Amino acid sequence: MEQPTAVPPESVTWRLHIDRSMWVAGVRGLMLQALHPVAMQGVWQRSDFMDDPTGRLLRTADFVATTTYGSPREAEELGARVRAVHRRLRFTDPATGARHRVDEPDLLLWVHCAEVVSYLEVVARAGARLGPGGADRYFAEQARTAAHVGLDPASVPASAAQMRAYLASVRPRLRAGEQARQAVRFLLWPEVPRRMRALAPFKPLWLPVGALSYYTLPGWARREYGVLPEPPGTQAAATASLRALRAGLHALPDEVYNRVFDEATVERARTARRRLEEAGYDVSRGFAGLRDPRTWPERARSSLGT
């Protein structure tokens, strides 16, 4: 029997990626990625990020959803499309005049690591419990998932120690150029795209997401940007606010929360639910309920010794 989802509900990836504080984590990931000057040029020159930031965020959300609870075939097909797009894209680094491919391994690795470390750190800070060894398991799972964007899993940090070593090695190359600062300011208060004008009155609700994304960046990254003030107590307030935002988002009924997603992403969740039910998972409490090992079939509980 084929595995019902790209990663199983008993994975740490599932526990993190279905958490609704991932909205903050995703934006924080974009802010962190922008600190790599060459990677930032790739986004600046070859992405519609500044024209349609909401679309970029929703596409990222769909990629995370597909590579989490999409079927293995859906995840592989989406990965193939992403790799095909990246293969065609070139850009020029104005600092050196060098031409680059978007899919150069060192650039893909930075984008991947900035994303997954943001997902882990923000969702854990928001209050999600990962359990002993959870960070190591998550990075190992995501090293395998990195193959979807064209990385060799063997080259990707697969533990917390390996991730710390990688981030330390790349840190001297990171800096906040003017375009990176523009991107961060834009993420703090993005334009509402024309296709979503009906949601314009709700734009102020974005402010806490943008601010928390910024304040959950590492201290060195916030010092590089210097975009928002840092009065005493900022970090304690950020943690409390992040946990309150998470609780509020998780209190929303699915039918309300899902309105922000593209229909294709919502439909993928519906079909995943049916596949999981057929595979013996108890989905009566939705995806969030699958954090509980009692909702797993016996074979899944046995595989983790629960």
Side-chain angles (χ1 to χ4, degrees):
M1 180 180 179
E2 184 183 53
Q3 184 172 296
T5 50
V7 298
E10 53 270 26
S11 65
V12 181
T13 292
W14 186 281
R15 186 173 296 274
L16 285 175
H17 288 185
I18 66 166
D19 198 281
R20 292 181 179 179
S21 62
M22 278 285 286
W23 286 108
V24 175
V27 178
R28 193 258 213 185
L30 294 175
M31 292 179 175
L32 190 59
Q33 288 169 9
L35 288 166
H36 191 298
V38 180
M40 183 64 216
Q41 286 302 319
V43 172
W44 195 263
Q45 297 178 34
R46 301 309 315 234
S47 169
D48 63 353
F49 165 66
M50 296 297 282
D51 295 324
D52 187 12
T54 308
R56 165 70 184 270
L57 192 57
L58 288 176
R59 287 192 296 276
T60 300
D62 186 64
F63 181 86
V64 171
T66 304
T67 56
T68 302
Y69 58 73
S71 70
R73 178 177 293 181
E74 286 174 328
E76 290 171 6
E77 290 175 348
L78 177 57
R81 291 197 297 273
V82 169
R83 294 193 300 274
V85 169
H86 286 174
R87 276 196 300 270
R88 298 194 297 267
L89 298 180
R90 305 287 190 277
F91 65 95
T92 301
D93 180 1
T96 64
R99 290 285 288 171
H100 290 274
R101 292 171 52 130
V102 167
D103 62 354
E104 290 175 11
D106 62 325
L107 299 181
L108 291 177
L109 183 60
W110 166 248
V111 170
H112 168 83
C113 291
E115 284 181 352
V116 299
V117 79
S118 293
Y119 299 163
L120 176 74
E121 291 179 357
V122 170
V123 177
R125 185 171 175 178
R129 297 180 180 178
L130 304 184
D136 288 334
R137 283 181 55 203
Y138 177 66
F139 289 134
E141 291 164 5
Q142 288 304 297
R144 294 189 291 272
T145 299
H148 292 305
V149 297
L151 284 165
D152 176 1
S155 71
V156 179
S159 69
Q162 290 177 13
M163 184 62 76
R164 284 193 296 271
Y166 168 75
L167 293 174
S169 73
V170 77
R171 170 69 185 89
R173 288 178 275 161
L174 305 179
R175 63 179 184 275
E178 183 51 36
Q179 290 171 337
R181 288 192 178 92
Q182 286 186 47
V184 165
R185 293 188 190 101
F186 193 71
L187 286 167
L188 289 169
W189 194 249
E191 293 292 330
V192 178
R194 183 170 300 173
R195 63 187 176 83
M196 300 181 75
R197 288 297 183 196
L199 298 178
F202 299 99
K203 184 177 177 181
L205 297 176
W206 178 261
L207 189 59
V209 174
L212 286 171
S213 301
Y214 180 87
Y215 283 123
T216 55
L217 285 166
W220 63 264
R222 299 194 309 276
R223 288 190 292 273
E224 275 286 327
Y225 279 125
V227 170
L228 292 180
E230 294 265 350
T234 296
Q235 286 304 299
T239 299
S241 299
L242 180 60
R243 294 191 172 206
L245 178 65
R246 177 179 184 254
L249 289 173
H250 278 289
L252 291 173
D254 287 350
E255 59 270 21
V256 175
Y257 179 74
N258 287 341
R259 289 179 185 174
V260 74
F261 293 101
D262 287 337
E263 179 57 32
T265 306
V266 176
E267 180 57 29
R268 189 170 289 112
R270 293 192 191 105
T271 57
R273 183 169 176 151
R274 289 194 292 269
R275 291 195 308 272
L276 286 162
E277 190 170 29
E278 291 168 0
Y281 291 88
D282 177 3
V283 295
S284 60
R285 290 184 288 150
F287 283 178
L290 292 173
R291 296 189 183 100
D292 184 349
R294 292 173 296 181
T295 65
W296 308 342
E298 178 60 33
R299 63 183 181 279
R301 292 197 298 271
S302 300
S303 68
L304 293 181
T306 57

